[in-house]
Each structure stands twice: as structure tokens, then as C-alpha cells.
Amino acid sequence: MKGVCVPLLCVCVSLILHCTTSQGPQESDTYMECTDGYQWDLQTEHCKDINECETIPEACKGEMKCFNHYGGYLCLPRSASVIPAPDPPGQPDDVPEPYNSCPLGYESQGDRCVDVDECELDQHNCQPSQQCFNSQGGFTCQCPEGYRKIGPECIDIDECRYRYCQHRCVNVPGSFSCQCEPGFQLAGNNRSCIDVNECEMGAPCQQKCTNTYGTFLCRCEQGYELGADGFTCRDIDECGFSSFLCQFQCVNKPGKFSCVCPEGYQLQRSRLCQDVNECETGAHKCTEGQTCVNTNGGHRCVDNNRCQAPYTQVSNNRCVCPVTKPACRDLPLSIVHRYMSMTSNRTALSDIFQIQTTSVYPGAHNAFRIRSGDDNNQFYIRQINNISAMLVLAQPVTGPKEYVLDLEMVSINPILKFQSSSVLRLSIYVGQYTF
């Protein structure tokens, strides 16, 4: 064994001579093949070291000096010197070392050299953190997957520093794992995250579910609103929002509302109330001697003959008091019965009924007035011309209520020196509602 020492730094290099041999040639014309760095010596019939420092031109260049050793050579600084290692104890200098026919990392088995598994025989110098891998004639020390070598030790690689994961990365010794944010699941590559369709996986939405990227939204049917928990739906009381949804009354129902009308009315366009004309539909109980008069929300049955003495009926709704009767002297010549219906709280100063004479006498002057029935001055007459006038509502009236007004026309003829009057008896039925 030889050693090499460099000033200020001592490096011991073990140089062991290895060559390959067999049990000896059987015939004189055969020889053994030596490994690299050796050549066959015919005299000694052994492998002999080759001095590369002599055989290789300029083996070491620059300021380096060539030092031969068994099976190879070294290039060292010129200031280095080689100190031969002492021979093994108990063995004289002139006795050669035992001959090993196999190279380093092999052992002889019969006539062949077999690789030594240093890893299995624990003949390696790998660190506890390293893994030993056997190779032909030697071994290598490698770090396990997920580790890297720093100095003599294997240190865990923090893969999370390299953004291998799309969302969250969890580093573990020798490896890592990827995790996804809520609403996502790990893809087949174990790194990417794909959206989860919660609506198809039983999202807790009471009515409608809409999938979005990374989450979902619960929605409600028309007429419902989402509760504070974001999942349940509660009915919207549309009737409580506005008093103008329905003309009469709003009825809330689950998810919707409906409008209803009072008796005597029917729903029109889902929100309005329209009077039912019982006189036209036949939904009345008037007798043959009566006439059906439709009112807002109902009807009245009035007698066909409403004439009272001393008046006599001359036609439908017309009563006459002849001047030949003494009792008729101070009474209107005729009374005509008319009927009308109006809504409650109608706007004041509205024209509600027009009066017009049917008989016009040359030179006659006509005047119109309310003869009776307007005790509270709720109506007045506005004369239009000599033959017509308009009944005007002076103030709003509230129903249900009935007014009977005698609207009189006084006719004065100065030429004939004649004065007469006639009455239109108007029955006004004010409905309960404003429609």
C-alpha cells in the first residue's frame, strides 16, 4: 500500500493492485488478459502494473506532476511527495502480497469474477438518509425521490415552492399532496382542480339550484324569496307590498296572489272588478209586473206602474195628472220615472245626468230646478240652453245609498200667458264601492 501527502493537506489514497488471473495456463501458447492499467508479464506470468507516467506522453500538463500507482496514475502538484505505505506486519519485504485475480468490487468464484453486492452485505458508506444501489463493481448512494443531496445528507424537497398545485399544496417528507378549495375536486393528474357541480350532487337548495365556478347559488320560483340561510325559499306576501295590486281585495297564496271582487262583481283582467248586470244575465228575481234596474254591485226590481193618485199611467214610466182634475191644478202636468247608478265617492262637480224637454212651444221660456230630494244640497242644476240642463254632483256621495230627485222643468209662454211644469223623477243608486 502507498500513500500520498500534500503539504498543508494530507490526503491518503489507498492504492490496491488488482488483476485478473486463472488457475494457470494449460498450454504454453496461452496467456491471461489483464484489466486496464496492467499488462501480462511472460516471465512472472502475472499482471504487471503499467507506468503511465512513462508510457503516456505528457500525462499531466501544466504545473501538475504525474505519480504512478497500481492500475493507474495521479496528477498532483509538483510540491507533493509520495510516501510508500508500510508493508503488512509479519510479512517480509521480499514476500509478495497475496494475489487477487478479480478487480475491486468483484470476488472470485472458481474461474470467474462475480460482482459483490455491497448494499446487501452492508459494505457501503451511504448515509442513513441515502439509499444504496448496487452496480457492477461498486455501488452508488442516492437520495430517495423527493429529496436532494446537500452535503452528505439528503434533505426533503419542498415541492410546494415550485407551484406544482393549482390551489393548495401540502408538503410531506419526500413528497407532497395537492388539495382543492371548497367547490372543487382534484383532477386525474392529482394537481389541477376542477369545478364540482353541486347541483348534480344534491345541493341543499329548496327550489332552484344554479351551479357557478367553485360554488352554487340557490334561487326561488316566482313569488318566493330566498331566506337568510341561502337555501330555503319563503313566500312573498305581495299583498303587503302595495294596496294597488287589486281593485278590491288582494288574497295572498303560496308563491302568488289573486284578486277577488265583492258580490255582484266579476274579475276582469285578473285585477279589476266589473259590475255584473243581473238584468241582462237573468240572475234576478223580478216579477212580471216589475222592471229590473241594474245597479253597481246589484239590481233593483221596480214596479212597472209607479203612478200615485191623482196621476194615472199613460205609458211605461210616465204618469199624467190631467188639468181637468181639480187636484191636479197645482201639480206638475206629468212625472217621468228614470233610474241611474253611480259609484261611491265620485269626483265632485261631475256632470251625472242630462235633462232635455221633448216638447218645444214657440215663444216659451223653460227653466230647470231641483224640486225635491236634495235636502243636503249635494246636487245642483246647470242649465245648458232653453231646452236642456245638466244635473251636477256638488260634493262626493258615499254608498250604498239611494237618492230620489224630482227635476222640474217650468215652461212659461208670455204670449199665451200660459205656465206649466213637468217632473223627471230620477232615482240614483249609489254603490258601496268606487268601481
Side-chain angles (χ1 to χ4, degrees), residues 4 13 15 36-37 49-61 64-76 82:
V4 179
V13 182
L15 306 176
D36 293 340
D49 176 54
I50 299 174
N51 190 341
E52 291 84 357
C53 295
E54 297 178 354
T55 60
I56 300 176
E58 297 182 0
C60 295
K61 296 182 179 181
M64 304 302 288
K65 182 179 179 181
C66 181
F67 290 88
N68 184 62
H69 68 83
Y70 293 113
Y73 67 97
L74 294 173
C75 291
L76 300 175
V82 177

Side-chain angles (χ1 to χ4, degrees), residues 68-178:
N68 184 62
H69 68 83
Y70 293 113
Y73 67 97
L74 294 173
C75 291
L76 300 175
R78 293 186 179 277
S79 60
S81 61
V82 177
I83 303 175
D87 294 330
Q91 188 174 12
D93 295 341
D94 56 351
V95 179
E97 296 181 359
Y99 174 72
N100 185 1
S101 60
C102 295
L104 182 65
Y106 293 86
E107 63 181 0
S108 178
Q109 290 186 3
D111 58 350
R112 61 191 183 93
C113 293
V114 179
D115 173 62
V116 176
D117 190 344
E118 294 86 355
C119 298
E120 183 178 355
L121 298 175
D122 199 20
Q123 295 178 359
H124 61 84
N125 58 354
C126 296
Q127 298 294 327
S129 61
Q130 298 175 340
Q131 293 178 339
C132 178
F133 291 90
N134 185 63
S135 61
Q136 291 296 320
F139 63 93
T140 58
C141 297
Q142 300 180 10
C143 293
E145 185 178 358
Y147 292 83
R148 62 181 174 182
K149 189 174 182 182
I150 300 179
E153 295 295 335
C154 292
I155 305 301
D156 173 55
I157 298 175
D158 187 1
E159 295 87 353
C160 296
R161 296 176 56 188
Y162 303 101
R163 300 183 180 274
Y164 288 153
C165 300
Q166 183 178 356
H167 285 181
R168 295 197 306 265
C169 179
V170 179
N171 186 62
V172 295
S175 184
F176 69 97
S177 63
C178 295

